[in-house]
Every structure is written in structure tokens, then in C-alpha cells.
Amino acid sequence: MKQADKENKHINWKLFAQFLSVHKWACGLMTALILLASTTILIPPWVLGKFVDQLNRPGQAWTWGLTWLAAGILAGVAESGQNSVIIILGQKLMHFLRSRMAAKLSRLPFSYYTTHSSGEISSHFLNDVDAINVLFTEGIVALSANALQLLAIVLVIGKTNIYLAILVCAILPFLWKFTRVCQQSVRKAQLKQRSAIADVFSCLPETIALLPVIQNLGMESFMENRYGQMIGRSFRAIERTNFFDSVYSPIIKMVTAGTIAMMMSLAAGNVTGNYFHLTAGQAVSMIAYILALFSPLEALGMEIQSIQTATAALERVTQFLELPEESHIKNSAGEMKKVPEDVAACEFRHVSFAYEKGKTIFRDLNFTVPQGDYLMIQGRTGSGKTTLFRLLTGLIRPDHGEILMYGQSLESMDRQKRRALFGIVEQKFEKVEGTLRDQITLHQGEPSSEDDTWIWHILEQVGLESTFRQIPGGLDAEAQGAGLSDGQWQLMGLARALYGNPRILLLDEFTAHVDTKTEWMLYQTLAKMKGQYTCIVISHRHMNMDNIHVLEL
């Protein structure tokens, strides 16, 4: 466990180091402003002390009073500039992290999406990255600035009265230990809270999607209890963090007041006054310095909750970025070269696969699909029809055996080339916001005459050209009011699959939600396209087509 924590810390710092190397100039400016702010904050208390000591000299008092005002303005401007640069860098950090995470998401294997809910993934991108921004702006950078201020204030106090500096240094370890105890307790609670929040994010979309089923089965109380348990875990974790957050600040204030009272008592004592002697101005300066000394610690206590939340979030994001990626071999760019007609489009050679050990889906599966042929896959529920599609598209790997696409091993094929081979039609056409053109292109680029020519050709292939010609606006008509039937929307799914000019069509129960007449129309459309594409279909019912091969699972 300790070794794992060390590795996580190393990865976390490495992640920040990569960001800082990209923004060297901005980080340099931030460092300069932190140094300036840490220096200028020391000037007003010192000038205030001089002002108090010169009150009996009106001419000198005016000079020191104006100097104190100017020093305060300078310190405020330096601190404002420091905070502005920190905020800007925080925004850049969020962009840096989310860009890397988005790129990582596209390289993850299919198994990641089957074992992690959409709510959990969204939580990484939204809540975790926001929390890391807090860690950077209010944690690492702010704490570095505060540490520098603490050191500078202690040195100034020591230069004024070494015994007073010793007194302050004796108190600081107690406060530091107290702060660390609060941090560690809150961190444990925050890890539990982040886990509970991820569960809530996952539960809500699932509950909304299944609301009709829940109501029909009378499972409202079950879902309510399930959701309540998640909220309860989160609430208990928050309560623990709120406790430490509420007691920390008052204790810091009490220690500050006690230190000032002790300093004044020692300075006024008959014996101790010889060691802790202070003029009136020096006493005022020391009070200001001590208030400034404990202010960073108090601010740290106020931010313990957000800092510890961010630490847990950073660990989660780091673990996400370190996930194993889908392995692929980079080949030369471009489309696959034309292959001889006698080479099969798809071939399974002794393929075996199991999701879990002892629960085999396929064992020594062999079949070949020639170019331009149609293959129908049939089998009972759970026989592995969908799994076969996942193997075919490279989303999962076989445990044993080999899958060839046009004579090339699927595992050795470049990922983008492999994906370009397939056009997939699912059980139900999923609409997107926009025009009829957008339903086919999925908003890929700006419309062009060349692209529209290709779209009209596809619509002619699937039998929708005349229908679209009759719709006012044609391809620019809004999809919402197009008035297409269920069968026509399924043909739109076929058109969407053909838009990328694939070699192989994969149809996953694409007639499952249409009536018999519409099903016949869809099959007639496929029959007209026979020979142009290799087609593999999952279907519970036999397709009413000639010369179609059947694979029983």
C-alpha cells in the first residue's frame, strides 16, 4: 500500500511537471509575482511601527503615514497580480488535463466502457478536473506563497527580537501537527465521498432511463432505498469533513490571540521585559506580523476540505491517464489497397473467447465470408452474436485463434483503417439535432456540393432519394419535422453506415422494431445492393433473401 502511494505521488508530480514545462513563461511570471507579493506584504507592518513611534513628531508622522498607505497599495497590487496569474494558469491546467483525458478516452479498449458507467467517466472530466484546479490554485501555488511568507515573517520577527522569534517557532510545530491531522482525516472522508458521488452520477441516468420499468414493476421503494444509501454515504463523509473544517479556524484564532497576549505580557514583565522589550511601534508591528503569520495557516484550514477533495481527484485522474490503452500497430496512412477477389473479406480461424474464466462463449470457431457475400448469424439469446461483432470490429480480442480481414490479421491492422472497413446499422436509428444531412454525416465538416452528390447517391442506393426530393428543403430540412416512417428511419441508418464508404456492413437486429411489411422493404433494399458490399447480419428471424449463408451459434 505504501509503495502504491509513493507511485501515485510520483505520477501526480510528474503530471504537474509536464504542464509547467508547457507554460514555462507564465509560470516564471507567476513565481516573480509571488516573490514580489511575499516581499511587499512585509513592508506595511514595519512602516506602521515607525508611524506609531513618530506620533509625537507631527512632521515625521505624516511622512510615515503616507509611506504606510503607499506600501499597502503596493502590497495589494502585487497580491492582485499574483492571484490573476494563478487563476489564468488554473484555467490552462483544466484545458491541459481535459485535452489529454479526451485523447486518452479514444485510445481505451472496449472493456473499459463495459466496466465503467457514463456517470463515472463524466465525473472524471467535470468534478475531478475542477477539483484539481482548486488544488493547483489554492493548494500547491497558494501554499508555496504562504510558506514563503511564513519564512519571511519569522526572519523579520527574529531581526526585531530573537526571543520573540523563538517563542513563535515553538508554537508553529503544534499548529503544523494539528493541521496535518485535520488534513489526513478529511482526505480519508473525501475519498469515500468521491466514490459515493460517482455512484450517484451512475444511478441517476440509469433510474431515469428505466423509469417506466420501475413504475410498472412497483420498484420505486427499492430504487429510493438504493439512492438513499448512496446519498447517506456521501452525507456522512461530508459531515466528517465539515467537523474538521468548523473546529480548525476557531482554534487557530484562539492560538493567535493567546500568542499576542503572551507577547505583550512578556514585554511588560519586570524580568522578561529585559528579553522581550519592545517599543510601542515595535509592539504594533509584531502584532501585525503575528496576525500575518497565522493568517496563511488559518486560510489553509479553511481550504482543507477543497484541497483534500482535489488530492483524491488528482489520484483518480492520474489512474485514468495510466490505464492500459488499446494496442495497435501504426501502418502507412490511407485506405487499404485493393485485394484479389479470391481473398476472403473475413475469416475466423480457431477462435476461442470467454469474458470470464470457465464461461466460454466461443470454442474453436471457424467460418469464412467471401467478398460480396451475405452472412446471417442466428442463435438464441446469449449465444454470442453480439460478442462476435465485437471480435470482428476489434473491440475485444480472442483468447485463442486469429481473425483475418482481407487476408490481414485484425490485430496487426491500424485502428483507423480497421474502423473504416465497417459500416454499422443498429436496432434503432439514433437521431441527432440538425438537418437530414446531419443525420447521415453526423455534423462532419461543412456541406459541399461534392459531399452532397455522394449523399444523394447513397440515398438512391437505399431507396430514399425520391422521398427526400419531395421534402421541402431536401437535405437542409430539419429532421424533427421530416415525417419519415420507422422503416425510412432504419434506411437512414443504412445510409449513415454507407456514408463512410465501408467494405463491410454489420447489421445488428436492424429489423427488430419494424413490422413485417417494413422488414420486407428493408430486405429488398439489401438485396439490390448485393455484391457491392460484404454484409454480416444478426437476426432472430430468417432473412427472406436468396443466396444468403447462415451461421448458427
Side-chain angles (χ1 to χ4, degrees):
M1 181 63 73
K2 292 182 178 179
Q3 182 64 29
D5 290 341
K6 290 180 180 179
E7 291 177 358
N8 278 338
K9 290 180 180 179
H10 173 70
I11 294 171
N12 294 347
W13 285 113
K14 183 179 179 180
L15 192 62
F16 277 117
Q18 291 172 350
F19 166 74
L20 296 176
S21 66
V22 175
H23 300 281
K24 290 188 287 287
W25 290 106
C27 293
L29 175 61
M30 180 185 67
T31 303
L33 288 172
I34 289 175
L35 291 172
L36 179 63
S38 300
T39 303
T40 54
I41 199 174
L42 301 174
I43 301 175
W46 180 79
V47 175
L48 180 61
K50 292 294 184 182
F51 171 73
V52 172
D53 283 338
Q54 299 296 326
L55 282 176
N56 59 344
R57 300 178 183 178
Q60 294 291 330
W62 274 103
T63 302
W64 285 109
L66 292 174
T67 303
W68 176 76
L69 178 62
I73 294 174
L74 176 62
V77 170
E79 185 177 6
S80 177
Q82 166 193 292
N83 293 338
S84 298
V85 174
I86 290 173
I87 291 173
I88 293 173
L89 272 176
Q91 295 298 313
K92 290 182 179 295
L93 174 64
M94 289 196 293
H95 181 270
F96 170 80
L97 288 175
R98 284 177 175 147
S99 298
R100 290 195 62 186
M101 292 170 70
K104 179 75 176 185
L105 204 61
S106 66
R107 300 193 299 267
L108 292 176
F110 178 76
S111 58
Y112 175 80
Y113 299 94
T114 59
T115 55
H116 295 77
S117 66
S118 58
E120 183 179 353
I121 298 173
S122 299
S123 179
H124 286 321
F125 279 80
L126 299 176
N127 298 334
D128 288 346
V129 173
D130 286 340
I132 291 173
N133 178 41
V134 173
L135 174 64
F136 179 76
T137 56
E138 300 178 9
I140 296 175
V141 176
L143 289 179
S144 300
N146 288 334
L148 190 60
Q149 289 181 12
L150 286 173
L151 178 61
I153 291 172
V154 170
L155 291 176
V156 171
I157 294 175
K159 183 174 177 56
T160 303
N161 189 300
I162 187 62
Y163 297 104
L164 184 58
I166 294 173
L167 173 65
V168 169
C169 290
I171 296 174
L172 285 179
F174 161 75
L175 294 177
W176 174 250
K177 181 63 177 178
F178 176 66
T179 300
R180 288 296 300 164
V181 170
C182 291
Q183 285 179 332
Q184 292 168 358
S185 299
V186 172
R187 181 178 179 275
K188 293 177 181 178
Q190 283 298 330
L191 287 172
K192 294 180 180 179
Q193 184 195 5
R194 302 301 294 180
S195 176
I197 289 175
D199 291 341
V200 170
F201 267 95
S202 176
C203 180
L204 281 176
E206 177 186 346
T207 303
I208 294 172
L210 296 176
L211 196 57
V213 177
I214 294 171
Q215 292 176 338
N216 289 336
L217 297 178
M219 300 296 290
E220 291 90 345
S221 60
F222 170 78
M223 298 303 295
E224 182 179 353
N225 291 335
R226 181 186 175 197
Y227 185 72
Q229 290 174 1
M230 298 176 186
I231 294 296
R233 286 195 290 117
S234 176
F235 176 76
R236 287 189 294 272
I238 291 175
E239 281 292 289
R240 185 169 178 79
T241 59
N242 287 342
F243 169 76
F244 285 99
D245 199 31
S246 62
V247 301
Y248 184 88
S249 182
I251 291 177
I252 291 294
K253 287 184 180 294
M254 290 171 58
V255 174
T256 303
T259 303
I260 293 174
M262 186 182 300
M263 178 189 72
M264 293 294 101
S265 299
L266 292 172
N270 293 330
V271 178
T272 56
N274 296 327
Y275 301 99
F276 292 90
H277 175 72
L278 296 170
T279 66
Q282 287 176 334
V284 172
S285 296
M286 290 302 101
I287 291 174
Y289 281 128
I290 289 175
L291 288 173
L293 182 70
F294 291 113
S295 180
L297 288 175
E298 182 182 357
L300 174 62
M302 296 297 292
E303 295 298 333
I304 280 179
Q305 182 170 335
S306 57
I307 290 173
Q308 294 306 312
T309 300
T311 303
L314 182 58
E315 290 180 7
R316 286 156 58 89
V317 169
T318 302
Q319 291 168 3
F320 174 81
L321 291 174
E322 292 295 316
L323 288 172
E325 299 179 1
E326 178 186 15
S327 61
H328 64 282
I329 298 175
K330 294 183 178 181
N331 296 331
S332 57
E335 298 181 356
M336 287 185 62
K337 297 180 180 180
K338 187 175 181 180
V339 295
E341 294 183 0
D342 59 345
V343 175
C346 169
E347 185 176 359
F348 274 51
R349 293 181 177 177
H350 307 289
V351 171
S352 298
F353 177 78
Y355 285 109
E356 298 178 19
K357 189 174 182 179
K359 297 182 179 180
T360 302
I361 306 296
F362 299 122
R363 180 178 285 109
D364 199 31
L365 178 64
N366 293 274
F367 69 88
T368 300
V369 184
Q371 297 182 50
D373 273 21
Y374 281 16
L375 173 69
M376 180 174 64
I377 302 171
Q378 289 187 316
R380 58 178 175 78
T381 301
S383 61
K385 299 186 297 296
T386 301
T387 300
L388 191 146
F389 267 21
R390 292 174 179 174
L391 286 167
L392 187 61
T393 52
L395 294 177
I396 55 179
R397 293 181 179 180
D399 298 327
H400 303 285
E402 186 178 25
I403 302 173
L404 301 179
M405 305 298 299
Y406 295 94
Q408 184 176 348
S409 173
L410 190 66
E411 290 191 10
S412 67
M413 190 177 295
D414 178 72
R415 181 172 54 192
Q416 296 301 325
K417 290 182 180 180
R418 184 183 69 217
R419 291 176 178 176
L421 288 176
F422 302 104
I424 301 176
V425 185
E426 298 179 335
Q427 296 183 21
K428 185 179 179 181
F429 182 81
E430 297 293 341
K431 304 181 185 67
V432 298
E433 292 291 333
T435 64
L436 289 174
R437 179 191 290 104
D438 295 331
Q439 307 308 309
I440 298 174
T441 64
L442 297 176
H443 302 280
Q444 295 182 36
E446 294 295 327
S448 64
S449 58
E450 181 179 350
D451 196 42
D452 282 357
T453 301
W454 174 241
I455 293 174
W456 284 114
H457 171 70
I458 294 171
L459 293 174
E460 181 183 5
Q461 280 188 295
V462 302
L464 287 177
E465 181 190 13
S466 59
T467 301
F468 273 47
R469 297 288 187 189
Q470 296 172 9
I471 297 175
L475 296 176
D476 294 315
E478 289 294 323
Q480 192 66 28
L484 298 180
S485 65
D486 290 342
Q488 289 171 326
W489 280 119
Q490 280 302 89
L491 288 175
M492 281 285 284
L494 186 57
R496 178 185 288 176
L498 295 176
Y499 177 74
N501 195 23
R503 292 191 177 194
I504 301 175
L505 290 176
L506 302 179
L507 281 60
D508 185 5
E509 293 284 1
F510 84 122
T511 63
H513 300 292
V514 298
D515 54 41
T516 305
K517 183 178 180 181
T518 304
E519 181 183 22
W520 179 84
M521 178 191 70
L522 293 172
Y523 285 152
Q524 289 299 308
T525 302
L526 283 178
K528 294 176 183 177
M529 296 166 55
K530 197 170 189 305
Q532 300 179 53
Y533 306 94
T534 302
C535 187
I536 303 176
V537 186
I538 290 178
S539 178
H540 281 94
R541 299 189 294 265
H542 186 77
M543 292 175 60
N544 187 21
M545 291 178 60
D546 297 331
N547 300 322
I548 183 169
H549 305 287
V550 179
L551 174 64
E552 290 283 351
L553 295 179

